Amino acid sequence: MRVAFLGLGIMGRPMAANLAKAGHEVTVWNRSPGKDVEGARTAATPAEAAQGAEVVWMCVSDTQAVENVLFGENGVENSLTPGMTIVDSSTIAPSATVKFAERVRDRGVHYVDAPITGSKVAAEGGTLIFMIGGEEAAIEGLKPLFAAMGKKICRMGDTGKGHAAKLAMNLQIALIYEGFAEGLTLAAKLGVDAADLISLINATMVRSGVVEYKAPFVLKRDFTPNFPLRLMHKDIRLALDAAKEARVKLPGLETVEEIYDLAMEEGQQDLDYAATLTLLEKWAGVEVKSAT
Ligand code: NAP
């Protein structure tokens, strides 16, 4: 298929590379020049990339970035053609997605939100999981592309529901990791070895995918970004905004947001969100570590 891929960050670049490897005709664009993808053509603007494409796929930072790419100067809007499908794998506000979809529908363009789970490793390995909002017929036509980048797709409903599900997922990751980090900090202060506590967690009902994934990084104190703290901070805020719009109260997440606000103030935005542990350590005057 002819695909324009817009946004070559941690996730977008390997996703575009997997599309090209699978034999699709890929044109890529990135805001900052100098990023390209083997086997793909590089365009100078989103409009140029989208020219003649059957599918325009985006993976950029946030709601504002998606709006710029679609409707800004030299945006995709200039190259819309009837029958085209726009897919958004960024994590953004569900309400904005609904508005963007309405704006292109009059031009005969389908809009599918398809945010992703699985971080850099899954993007590189083509094992992402997509949670999707959009019409079934449009999603059906995208299946070869999903198959090139991921291992599973889950349709959550019509346009916007993919992003709604993504926010519901990420708020849980933030809360689960916070619970893990608080448990580790208290245990360290009380003299329990971190590796012993993690073995215990993994043998009991306290275990979780989040802990399994993050524990080895925490033990190595490797806070290089798999999922940057600034993006989790953005997702927490998106979830709180969506909750406000829907008149839902999320008191646990409101507290966790304060920790991320402080971490951002401390300059941790480009570290992994696992680095929020270091704030708890600082307040407790202890370092989480293992003798083994
Ligand atoms: P990233 O490495 O920070 O890349 C962000 C991309 O967005 C870059 O290509 C950046 O271009 C572009 N961008 C930012 N602002 C822009 C603007 N105003 N106009 C146009 N382009 C703009 O982020 P990522 O990790 O790939 O994440 C991308 C999306 O996937 C985010 O919504 C994130 O929440 C979501 N996500 C990430 C992960 C993960 O583990 N990393 C997992 C699931 C979902 P420049 O190169 O010019 O800065």
Side-chain angles (χ1 to χ4, degrees):
M1 294 173 81
R2 287 191 308 282
V3 189
F5 202 103
L6 313 177
L8 303 175
I10 294 176
M11 303 301 279
R13 199 173 189 190
M15 290 168 76
N18 281 333
L19 288 176
K21 258 187 245 158
H24 298 288
E25 201 181 306
V26 182
T27 302
V28 296
W29 170 84
N30 193 66
R31 178 182 60 172
S32 319
K35 289 186 186 170
D36 46 22
V37 167
E38 204 182 317
R41 197 173 68 85
T42 303
T45 64
E48 186 193 318
Q51 199 84 50
E54 295 161 90
V55 177
V56 174
W57 206 294
M58 300 178 290
C59 188
V60 291
S61 303
D62 53 22
T63 308
Q64 188 61 56
V66 171
E67 185 163 15
N68 287 353
V69 167
L70 289 176
F71 306 111
E73 204 186 343
N74 298 316
V76 171
E77 194 177 29
N78 297 294
S79 302
L80 296 179
T81 47
M84 183 186 259
T85 303
I86 294 176
V87 189
D88 184 18
S89 282
S90 326
T91 304
I92 71 160
S95 53
T97 297
V98 171
K99 286 189 195 133
F100 298 157
E102 276 167 9
R103 235 171 121 170
V104 299
R105 192 169 296 136
D106 291 347
R107 309 266 302 267
V109 173
H110 310 286
Y111 199 104
V112 172
D113 49 316
I116 43 188
T117 184
S119 54
K120 189 181 168 192
V121 177
E124 287 168 352
T127 56
L128 291 166
I129 296 174
F130 292 88
M131 51 216 96
I132 307 176
E135 294 157 30
E136 292 201 36
I139 294 166
E140 194 57 38
L142 297 169
K143 283 195 171 159
L145 304 180
F146 285 125
M149 297 183 283
K151 63 176 180 188
K152 192 171 169 62
I153 61 172
C154 303
R155 182 172 182 266
M156 310 311 298
D158 53 11
T159 304
K161 302 296 189 286
H163 282 141
K166 175 67 185 172
L167 298 185
M169 297 286 282
N170 269 25
L171 82 81
Q172 292 178 70
I173 295 176
L175 287 168
I176 292 167
Y177 183 76
E178 180 59 22
F180 176 51
E182 290 189 9
L184 284 173
T185 306
L186 179 63
K189 190 76 180 188
L190 300 181
V192 174
D193 185 89
D196 291 343
L197 185 73
I198 289 165
S199 297
L200 177 67
I201 290 171
N202 288 336
T204 65
M205 64 174 282
V206 182
R207 72 183 175 276
S208 74
V210 174
V211 169
E212 253 169 47
Y213 186 70
K214 287 297 177 195
F217 292 99
V218 166
L219 286 175
K220 281 187 277 171
R221 301 197 70 77
D222 176 358
F223 299 123
T224 52
N226 267 302
F227 185 46
L229 196 147
R230 65 184 155 78
L231 291 180
M232 183 62 102
H233 182 247
K234 172 209 53 151
D235 291 355
I236 290 169
R237 290 197 161 171
L238 284 171
L240 289 172
D241 288 348
K244 204 169 169 192
E245 281 171 26
R247 301 176 67 81
V248 171
K249 188 104 187 101
L250 302 176
L253 196 64
E254 282 171 15
T255 305
V256 170
E257 186 200 16
E258 289 174 23
I259 294 165
Y260 280 74
D261 285 344
L262 290 169
M264 296 285 284
E265 277 172 29
E266 299 246 331
Q268 295 186 341
Q269 59 273 5
D270 291 321
L271 297 179
D272 194 84
Y273 72 91
T276 47
L277 169 69
T278 61
L279 289 186
L280 303 176
E281 291 177 323
K282 196 167 92 177
W283 297 332
V286 72
E287 186 171 299
V288 169
K289 57 183 174 212
S290 170
T292 54

